[in-house]
Structures are given as C-alpha cells and as structure tokens.
C-alpha cells in the first residue's frame, strides 16, 4: 500500500498511503586472497613474525568482538590481548570445527583462518601496539562522535530497539570493525530511498563526506582524542508545542514471539471537532516497539472495532495487514506512522487531519521481542491540534490488488533491478474522509506533503 499527503487548491490535503517495511542487517567484513596470500591490503608474513597487534587483532575484533564483549550474551569477552590469549585453545577449536562465526555473520576467509592458526601455533605472540600505524587526522570527539550521534545513536542507545549502544567512545570502539563493514557496504544507516528521481527531506543516509571521515578514522585505529573537542551538532529543528497527550487505553504485553501485530485503541477525549497537524509517537517500551501505524476511526465506523476489541480476552485485536479487524476493512484516516529513527514532524500550517468527538484512535503496534523479554507497553501520542484549517488532510490508499496474490510482485533471485508499476487516476480513487471521490483532475495542481510505504513480506 502507498499513502501520500497532497494539498489541492484551498480545500483539501490528501494523505496517500503505501505501506512498505524495510529490513536492516549486517555481518562481518570479508578479506581476499591473491597470489601471495593477502588479508584486505595486508600481506601475510611468515609465522615467526606474526603478532596480535599487527596481524590478528583486526580479524578478532571484526569477527568475534561484536558478540564476545563485556556485557553481551556471549559467555566470555575477547576484548584485548590478555583475554584472547587466555582462550587460545577455544579459538583453535572453533577454527578447526568451522563453527564460528555463527550463521548470519560473514564467514572467515581461507587466508584469515590460515593466519589465525599460524599465529596460534607460533604461541600467539602479542607484539607491540605502538608499532601499528595510526595515520588519520580525525578523532572520536572532534569528528566521529557528531556523525555517530546524528546517524546511528538515535536507534543505537540504551532502551531503543537496536541491539547495542553507540552513545560513548567505549561502546563505539568495541564494535569499530563491524561499523567499518556496515559503513563500507552502505547497510547502515538503513535508508532505502534513492535520489534518482527527486530529493527527499530528512535523509538518514551518510553523506560522502561523513562516510570518508568515518572510514579514515576507523582505518587509523579509531583514536579517542580530547573530550573537549566535541561540539554537539545544532539540528536547527523547530520545537512543536503539543497541546494534548493521549495513550493506549490499557497496557499490553506481547504474547507472540518474536513478532506480533496488535491493534490497540485510544479513546478520543475532546468533545468538539478539531484538526491535528502535528503528532509525536512516544513508544512505551522502545526495545520492543518495531513500528506503529496510527489511524482515526470516525464514530459511524466504530462497530467492527468495538466488536473486535477484547474479543479474544486481551486488549485490542490481532491485525497483521491493515489496522482493521480480520474479515473487513474499516476505512481509516491516517494520523501518523512511526519507526525507529523517524523524527516528529508537522503538516504545513493551515492543514490538518479532522477528528470528531466520539472518534477513536487505533494504533497498529508491531512488537518485536528479539532483543528483549515481553514487557507491558502503553505507548502514547503527543498531539498538536487547531480548531480550523484551510485544507483538510485525508488518507488515500494507493494499491494494485494484483500485488496481493502469491506471485503478484515476482522478484527473481539475484536480480538487482526489478520494477513493478501501477497507475490510477486520482479522480477515480476514493478517500476515507467520507467525502467520496477525491475530485482531483489532471489540470489541477496539488502539493504532495508526505508518503508512507509499507510492505510486510
């Protein structure tokens, strides 16, 4: 599905909605071998000259320390030479068995395995840390921290959904090799849109300059620098004065693992019609709230919602696809969508989503408990509303029903450039505001305010 917000004349703002869900992930980096065995750009030396600091530390940091670090779920840490040296036998065993890294992480290359085994057989000498070149003009505090805080730490922080924190030097340094891999491949920060067609506001992807700074800093040993050199970035983001907060009617604890899609209800407290033009979703348990799709349901369309709410003995009702009970679509009007990394925003002045007295807010909650035990969640919405607008914003769903059946959008394995198209005329599309035909013709200008794409599978 596909949704956007348009403004047509002075009468109407349209929200056209296409659900799309992107996944993010990563793994370790990989080396290469040619003629005289190499690891990246490093030529392997005779076993007698191998040492930890110059030859094996980078492999262990990138392949092992992401999990084998202090405070992680792995049974021991491999941070630093003394810890690695104490586990020489265990490292040799998993190398011979091929059981590490675990599935899901990039496997060791043959040159990497050979180098590690040669080093272990030579007694795992430490070498001299000062002999490792650290040629980079950048430091964590003067250069890297601002980039990481802005691009990474909004999700990678305590209590958020990302699996580890990147809010301080120690945390960043412990996974520096994994960061280098993710930055090099472009896997992080997750940002699927491209700039091939038109520029998109509030991009989360790294700029070329930011990427160059991080990779130079990491390649140079990720030096810490002086904390006094850190200058927080001024985001220049206008603050929003919210005048209402509403929350889920009661807490909900996920029961399905690792993913559960549950629609939960909020009673609307105002006794007059207002127009919402700014919303900030506040997850109750950030570590388990994967994304949220919040809609307004008008009083005359509440029947199916009220019948489904609590019917299975738990708050709300299951809703894997749309924020509606199974068996029939309740025409919703989108209030907001949220996923980790999305910042709060506002519709343009003079535009807002109408909410009548007696309405309810239905929040489709996607809970994911991969990184946490299920906890009671009572997420809330900070709202700014006004009494009048020039243009009412309404939701318009844009969907080719042919995409629904199995095989409706085939993507051949390994094909990096697959396109599926669907065309429809706005004049024939129905909105969910109760106004019926949108009535937008080809010769009328409109403004596109926002688009939301969502795809579950």
């Amino acid at each position: 599905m596909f949704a956007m917000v348009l403004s047509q004349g002075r009468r109407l703002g349209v929200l056209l909605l296409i659900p799309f869900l992107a996944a993010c992930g990563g793994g370790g980096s990989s080396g290469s071998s040619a003629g005289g065995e190499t690891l990246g750009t490093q030529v392997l030396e005779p076993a007698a000259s191998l040492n930890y600091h110059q030859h094996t530390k980078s492999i262990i940091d990138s392949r092992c320390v992401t999990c084998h670090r202090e405070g992680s779920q792995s049974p021991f840490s491999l941070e630093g030479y003394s810890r690695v040296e104490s586990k020489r036998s265990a490292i040799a065993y998993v190398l011979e068995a091929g059981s590490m890294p675990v599935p899901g992480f990039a496997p060791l290359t043959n040159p990497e395995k050979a180098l590690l085994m040669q080093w272990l057989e030579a007694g795992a000498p430490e070498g001299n840390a000062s002999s490792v070149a650290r040629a980079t003009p950048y430091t964590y505090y003067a250069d890297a921290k601002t980039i990481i805080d802005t691009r990474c730490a909004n999700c990678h922080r305590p209590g958020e959904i990302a699996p580890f924190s990147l809010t301080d030097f120690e945390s960043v340094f412990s996974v520096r090799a994994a960061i280098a891999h993710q930055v090099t491949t472009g896997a992080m920060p997750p940002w699927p849109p491209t700039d091939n067609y038109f520029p998109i506001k509030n991009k989360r992807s790294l700029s070329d300059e930011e990427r160059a700074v991080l990779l130079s800093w990491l390649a140079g040993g990720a030096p810490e620098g002086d904390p006094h050199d850190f200058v927080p970035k001024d985001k220049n983001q206008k603050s929003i004065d919210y005048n209402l907060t509403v929350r889920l009617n009661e807490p909900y604890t996920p029961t399905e693992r690792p993913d559960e899609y549950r629609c939960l209800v909020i009673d609307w407290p105002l006794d007059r019609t207002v127009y919402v033009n700014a919303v900030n979703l506040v997850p109750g348990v950030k570590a388990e709230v994967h994304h949220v799709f919040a809609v307004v349901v008008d009083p005359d369309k509440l029947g199916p919602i009220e019948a489904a709410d609590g019917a299975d003995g738990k708050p709300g009702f299951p809703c894997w696809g749309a924020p509606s009970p199974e068996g029939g679509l309740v025409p919703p009007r989108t209030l907001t969508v949220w996923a980790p990394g999305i910042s709060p925003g506002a519709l343009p002045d003079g535009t807002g989503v109408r909410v009548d007295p007696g309405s309810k807010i239905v929040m489709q909650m996607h809970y994911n408990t991969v990184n946490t035990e299920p906890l009671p969640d009572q997420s809330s919405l900070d709202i700014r509303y006004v009494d009048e607008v020039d243009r009412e914003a309404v939701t318009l769903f844009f969907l080719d029903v042919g995409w629904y059946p199995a095989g409706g959008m085939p993507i051949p394995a390994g094909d990096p450039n697959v396109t599926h198209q669907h065309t429809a005329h706005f004049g024939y599309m129905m909105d969910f505001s109760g106004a019926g035909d949108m009535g937008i013709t080809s010769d009328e200008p409109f403004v596109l305010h926002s688009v939301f794409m969502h795809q579950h599978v």
Side-chain angles (χ1 to χ4, degrees):
M1 287 188 292
F2 174 38
M4 3 184 211
V5 179
L6 315 157
S7 284
Q8 181 254 344
R10 292 182 58 81
R11 180 180 69 85
L12 185 66
V14 184
L15 180 62
L16 175 63
L17 190 59
I18 307 180
F20 172 79
L21 179 62
C24 58
S29 59
S30 60
S32 61
S33 64
E37 289 185 308
T38 63
L39 175 62
T41 58
Q42 177 179 295
V43 179
L44 301 191
E45 299 184 19
S49 63
L50 293 176
N51 66 73
Y52 171 74
H53 288 291
Q54 286 185 286
H55 303 103
T56 59
K57 183 178 188 300
S58 61
I59 303 175
I60 293 169
D61 284 352
S62 62
R63 295 296 200 272
C64 314
V65 171
T66 299
C67 296
H68 286 275
R69 55 192 175 88
E70 205 67 47
S72 71
Q73 295 181 353
S74 295
F76 53 83
S77 171
L78 291 176
E79 298 171 285
Y81 174 75
S82 61
R83 289 171 170 169
V84 172
E85 198 277 336
S86 70
K87 297 295 181 182
R88 287 166 51 191
S89 296
I91 295 172
Y93 175 79
V94 298
L95 286 173
E96 291 173 349
S99 56
M100 287 284 171
V102 295
F105 290 83
L108 290 165
T109 64
N110 290 332
E112 287 171 332
K113 289 180 183 178
L115 185 146
L116 286 170
M117 289 301 297
Q118 287 177 356
W119 172 70
L120 291 168
E121 290 168 359
E126 180 178 9
N128 188 350
S130 63
S131 66
V132 181
R134 296 180 181 275
T136 178
Y138 306 110
T139 69
Y140 172 73
Y141 283 108
D143 308 284
K145 179 171 171 54
T146 298
I147 301 171
I148 293 169
D149 285 356
T150 303
R151 302 298 191 190
C152 315
N154 51 353
C155 294
H156 286 276
R157 62 189 312 111
E160 289 287 357
I161 199 165
F164 51 84
S165 175
L166 293 176
T167 56
D168 56 64
F169 175 73
E170 290 74 19
S171 300
V172 172
F173 191 78
S174 69
V175 294
R176 62 196 180 281
I179 295 173
H181 173 72
Q182 299 292 72
V183 171
T184 301
T185 61
M188 286 284 166
W191 180 249
T194 72
D195 292 326
N196 294 347
Y197 302 101
F198 50 83
I200 300 175
K201 192 176 179 181
N202 301 322
K203 287 174 58 177
R204 291 199 302 272
S205 56
L206 292 167
S207 67
D208 291 340
E209 180 182 0
E210 290 171 329
R211 185 176 290 106
V213 168
L214 285 178
L215 291 177
S216 172
W217 172 69
L218 291 162
E224 181 175 9
D226 187 343
H228 294 97
D229 291 338
F230 173 61
V231 178
K233 185 176 180 180
D234 180 11
K235 295 184 178 180
N236 293 320
Q237 187 172 347
K238 291 173 61 178
S239 62
I240 298 173
D241 295 324
Y242 302 103
N243 49 9
L244 176 66
T245 296
V246 297
R247 66 186 66 253
L248 296 175
N249 287 350
E250 56 184 306
Y252 182 77
T253 302
T255 58
E256 300 176 21
R257 304 192 70 175
D259 294 286
E260 180 171 356
Y261 297 86
R262 189 78 181 180
C263 277
L264 302 172
V265 179
I266 294 176
D267 294 325
W268 185 250
L270 302 182
D271 59 2
R272 68 184 190 281
T273 296
V274 297
Y275 298 87
V276 173
N277 68 357
V279 182
N280 176 35
L281 187 132
V282 182
V285 182
K286 293 180 179 179
E288 71 182 10
V289 178
H290 185 279
H291 79 260
V292 181
F293 180 12
V295 299
V296 179
V297 181
D298 296 322
D300 61 343
K301 298 179 175 67
L302 283 174
I305 298 291
E306 292 175 332
D309 189 13
D312 59 1
K314 301 181 292 186
F317 51 89
C319 56
W320 180 84
S324 298
E326 213 171 303
L329 179 66
V330 174
R333 292 184 292 111
T334 299
L335 191 62
T336 192
V337 292
W338 177 89
I342 292 180
S343 301
L347 290 172
D349 292 340
T351 303
V353 177
R354 172 178 50 83
V355 185
D356 294 322
S359 300
K360 292 185 185 293
I361 308 299
V362 174
M363 304 234 291
Q364 184 195 54
M365 309 292 300
H366 175 187
Y367 293 111
N368 179 279
T369 50
V370 167
N371 297 314
T372 182
E373 289 300 311
L375 298 168
D377 170 72
Q378 195 168 13
S379 295
S380 62
L381 297 168
D382 294 330
I383 289 172
R384 183 179 69 188
Y385 66 83
V386 295
D387 291 321
E388 295 180 352
V389 292
D390 298 323
R391 298 171 298 278
E392 178 186 347
V394 297
T395 304
L396 185 61
F397 283 87
F398 187 76
L399 173 69
D400 179 357
V401 294
W403 291 340
Y404 263 143
M409 294 180 69
I411 302 176
D415 191 332
N417 189 26
V418 178
T419 300
H420 292 278
Q421 296 184 359
H422 175 58
T423 303
H425 297 286
F426 287 132
Y428 298 104
M429 297 179 72
M430 304 296 287
D431 68 51
F432 288 144
S433 68
D437 192 327
M438 291 300 299
I440 298 176
T441 62
S442 60
D443 59 350
E444 288 182 294
F446 61 85
V447 176
L448 175 62
H449 294 309
S450 68
V451 178
F452 176 64
M453 297 178 289
H454 196 126
Q455 181 173 312
H456 278 305
V457 292

